[in-house]
Amino acid sequence: MIWVVAAGAAVGFVFDFYRSLGKWLRWGKITTMVGDLIFSVVALFLLFKFFLRANHLDFRFYIVWGSVLGLFLYTRILSKIILWLFFKCYRFIEGCAWLILQVLKFPFKILAVLMVPPYAVLRWFSLLIFRIAEAFFGEPIAKTRKKMISLRDRLFPPRTNG
């Protein structure tokens, strides 16, 4: 009989895990449907294993009552504590992931700080080259452009309706 009660408690534990994970990750409708399917398969597998251990899959009515009793006792006694522990574990996992991400970002932040002076020098130098080229070649290029436009207009005059 203890295996049958444990089966209900195990299904309750898996359901609490599934429920807390869905709330923590804020699942949408499709993800929840897929999660429901996976939970159902896992719950059936757990019940199968426990019922096999309890009485070699000989289906009796006390199996149903025992599983319901185990689920009821689990939800009344342990569920709140287990959910609290799950959320504490999730927060710990989030903290570890944040710390790992910060450690991985650190070399790039140092590189960004180290690249500020060379980037500033290159920016200043490119602006200097642009201004020098504009001073030497700006007026001749503008004159050449105007000549090319007038040549195009002479070779290909605009069409008129006359």
Side-chain angles (χ1 to χ4, degrees):
M1 183 67 177
I2 190 73
W3 290 108
V4 177
V5 175
V11 169
F13 180 81
V14 170
F15 180 72
D16 277 347
F17 173 72
Y18 166 66
R19 181 172 58 160
S20 65
L21 190 65
K23 189 177 283 188
W24 180 58
L25 295 175
R26 295 179 187 95
W27 286 346
K29 289 182 180 180
I30 294 175
T31 315
T32 302
M33 286 179 8
V34 171
D36 288 345
L37 182 66
I38 292 171
F39 166 73
S40 300
V41 169
V42 170
L44 282 174
F45 178 75
L46 280 173
L47 289 174
F48 174 78
K49 284 296 192 181
F50 277 102
F51 292 168
L52 181 66
R53 180 95 173 176
N55 61 356
H56 304 292
L57 293 179
D58 190 20
F59 188 75
R60 302 280 185 221
F61 196 63
Y62 72 87
I63 289 178
V64 175
W65 282 108
S67 297
V68 170
L69 176 67
L71 183 61
F72 177 77
L73 290 174
Y74 173 82
T75 55
R76 292 292 172 201
I77 298 170
L78 294 175
S79 183
K80 290 181 182 177
I81 297 167
I82 297 297
L83 280 173
W84 180 79
L85 286 173
F86 279 144
F87 283 115
K88 285 290 183 184
C89 288
Y90 297 151
R91 284 189 207 105
F92 177 73
I93 290 169
E94 275 183 343
C96 289
W98 179 83
L99 184 64
I100 289 170
L101 191 62
Q102 294 305 314
V103 167
L104 291 176
K105 282 183 179 178
F106 187 69
F108 294 104
K109 288 181 179 180
I110 290 175
L111 184 64
V113 168
L114 291 175
M115 287 304 295
V116 167
Y119 177 72
V121 169
L122 285 174
R123 199 169 136 201
W124 175 83
F125 188 68
S126 65
L127 185 61
L128 177 68
I129 299 262
F130 175 76
R131 293 296 181 202
I132 291 171
E134 186 181 42
F136 281 117
F137 303 113
E139 191 175 326
I141 289 175
K143 285 181 182 176
T144 307
R145 182 174 181 269
K146 285 180 185 177
K147 287 179 183 177
M148 295 301 282
I149 291 174
S150 69
L151 178 65
R152 181 195 68 195
D153 289 343
R154 276 185 285 143
L155 290 176
F156 305 105
R159 293 187 180 195
T160 59
N161 289 336

